[in-house]
Amino acid sequence: PSVPADVVATVVVLQALEGLSDRDALRALVTDLRWKVAAGLSLDDEGFHPTVLTLWRNKLRASQNPERVFDAVREVVAETGVLAGKTRRAADLYAEVIGVDSTYVSAAFGLARCRVEDGDRRGAVDAYRAVPPSSATYTEAQVATARVLVGRDQDAAPTASDIAAAASTIDAARIDSAARARLATEVLERALVSITSGALPEDAGASIFGNPLTEKGLRRSLESSYRDLARVASTPAERFELVDRAN
């Protein structure tokens, strides 16, 4: 039977907060009463297979808003202050784990999330870059690095160096063409907003995806990205919308 979306979303959030692997997260769901209560499951519920989390993450990555589950949680946290004062302690614990065993990559992801919450873009990038290329989560860390560099979850505008580094990270990432186009579009849209708002000056000497870091150059790159996305759109309506943006 299918697993309710709210149950999977709850497990995904708890997993991220605890820095657990998929298998350990499902073990916690079965054995930890707090997880069962949070997910709204009965005490004798046997949970579901860990691959469900993998399928969910893949679907989220392929969607227009891959971070929507965590965005919703951040809004609640910001409004209620429920985790006030706990981020620094969590960061210290993650850093301690990395210091003992740098191959424990879930700690790197946990530390990066804490740095993002603190508005420490550079610290978050450093944490994600601690994930070694040999890790199965290396590509996921590269994608997260690109998003952090352009300040997807932060108010401060990215610098020209941040945007260039994000573009280089995307170019180097081992992701399919559709995922690459979606990620490039995120970076380009963020850069364009920063320039048109005056938060970031144009820099004709900087090259982003083959075009200069200017409003004209970014719009040219975005046109190409929108057309790439249109070619892999799942519905005619989505395809028409993307072609319209490109035009």
Side-chain angles (χ1 to χ4, degrees), residues 157-158 190-202 215:
R190 175 65 167 162
L192 182 60
V193 168
S194 297
I195 284 180
T196 56
S197 68
L200 176 69
E202 293 187 324
E215 181 176 349

Side-chain angles (χ1 to χ4, degrees), residues 49-64:
H49 197 275
T51 54
V52 172
L53 294 178
T54 302
L55 292 172
W56 244 65
R57 277 195 299 272
N58 289 340
K59 288 182 179 180
L60 284 172
R61 288 194 194 101
S63 69
Q64 290 294 318

Side-chain angles (χ1 to χ4, degrees), residues 6-20 35 53 56 68-74 77 83 94 113:
D6 59 336
V7 173
V8 181
T10 299
V11 174
V12 168
V13 171
L14 292 174
Q15 176 188 23
L17 289 172
E18 297 290 337
L20 300 178
W35 281 54
L53 294 178
W56 244 65
R68 61 180 177 273
V69 173
F70 294 105
D71 286 344
V73 173
R74 290 187 189 101
V77 170
L83 296 180
Y94 285 131
R113 286 190 294 272

